Amino acid sequence: MAIQKGDFIKLSYTGRLKNGAVFDTTDANVAKENGVYNENASYGPATIIAGKGYVVAGLDEDLIGKEVGYKGHVEVPPEKGFGLRRLDLIETIPAKKFKEKVKPGMRVQVQGRTGVVESTAGGRVRINFNPALAGETLIYDYAIEELIEGTDKKIDAILKMYSGQDMQHKTEGEKVIIEVPKELSFNQRWLIAKGVAANEIMEQGNIKEVVFQETYKKPEAPKAEEAPTEQQEKKE
């Protein structure tokens, strides 16, 4: 079955620059071999919704029409990757604006924006606020591993995509009730993302209502120690 926009799929991929440098991958071994391994990252096929912007536009477009099991590669120009390098996003700022000494290659925060120091000279700092891969042509080797079908499986996939965790849910008619792990209560990423996740869920089947709930249970009281029997006392 050919992949269409809106299909839920599991995708394996490795993204490289034209010089061969790996910048992203779903394969832990490839990440380790190329010095981009992140201990906090989750490796393995990524679940995405095709054509919905979960990956860069050039890769997203190439998925459409391919069959499950397809393996291939696509070259993505900057305008369909991380954008063209914009000169207006390269600024020169007085060095005295920074509390500590900065040097080329450092990532810095300026009025809520993140940039990379390109050079320092004459008491001034040149900072590039472009995305790190702006202006780069990207090459993706990828494989479409699986097509996810069925409302329940799609809901599970949406929750994992937006929370990074597996969650339990049950469907009651047109309502979905989701049990949210307590550790996500103060997770800023989840607090922002759950509204988007709810909208994605309501696009599946006949779902018209999404309820997120947390359950707290009173811990059981410790059992009282049983007094030793007369026979046990004799043995002792």
Side-chain angles (χ1 to χ4, degrees), residues 46-114:
T47 300
I48 70 163
I49 305 176
K52 296 289 288 284
Y54 286 80
V55 291
V56 297
L59 174 56
D60 217 3
E61 292 172 4
D62 205 63
L63 298 172
I64 307 302
K66 301 297 193 301
E67 301 284 338
V68 174
Y70 172 85
K71 295 181 179 180
H73 72 277
V74 60
E75 186 171 302
V76 179
E79 56 270 24
K80 291 192 175 182
F82 292 95
L84 297 169
R85 180 181 167 94
R86 291 170 48 187
L87 293 178
D88 62 313
L89 292 179
I90 301 174
E91 302 176 14
T92 301
I93 297 173
K96 63 182 179 181
K97 293 281 187 180
F98 299 94
K99 293 181 180 179
E100 59 182 0
K101 186 177 181 180
V102 297
K103 56 184 179 180
M106 283 183 62
R107 296 182 69 84
V108 294
Q109 287 276 340
V110 179
Q111 296 179 337
R113 297 180 299 162
T114 301

Side-chain angles (χ1 to χ4, degrees), residues 7 12 20 22 26 54 91 101 131 141 146 148 152 163 193 200 203 207 218:
D7 281 346
S12 296
V22 171
T26 58
Y54 286 80
E91 302 176 14
K101 186 177 181 180
D141 296 307
E146 182 183 340
I148 298 173
D152 281 335
S163 72
E200 290 280 11
E203 290 182 9
I207 306 302
K218 184 177 181 179

Side-chain angles (χ1 to χ4, degrees), residues 8 49 151 154-155 158 200-207:
F8 284 62
I49 305 176
T151 300
K154 289 180 179 180
I155 291 173
I158 290 168
E200 290 280 11
I201 290 171
M202 286 187 284
E203 290 182 9
Q204 313 306 318
N206 296 315
I207 306 302

Side-chain angles (χ1 to χ4, degrees), residues 19-65:
N19 64 8
V22 171
F23 62 87
D24 191 16
T25 183
T26 58
D27 188 318
N29 290 328
V30 172
K32 290 175 181 177
E33 290 168 3
N34 289 273
V36 294
Y37 183 75
N38 182 351
E39 292 183 354
N40 298 317
S42 177
Y43 290 92
T47 300
I48 70 163
I49 305 176
K52 296 289 288 284
Y54 286 80
V55 291
V56 297
L59 174 56
D60 217 3
E61 292 172 4
D62 205 63
L63 298 172
I64 307 302

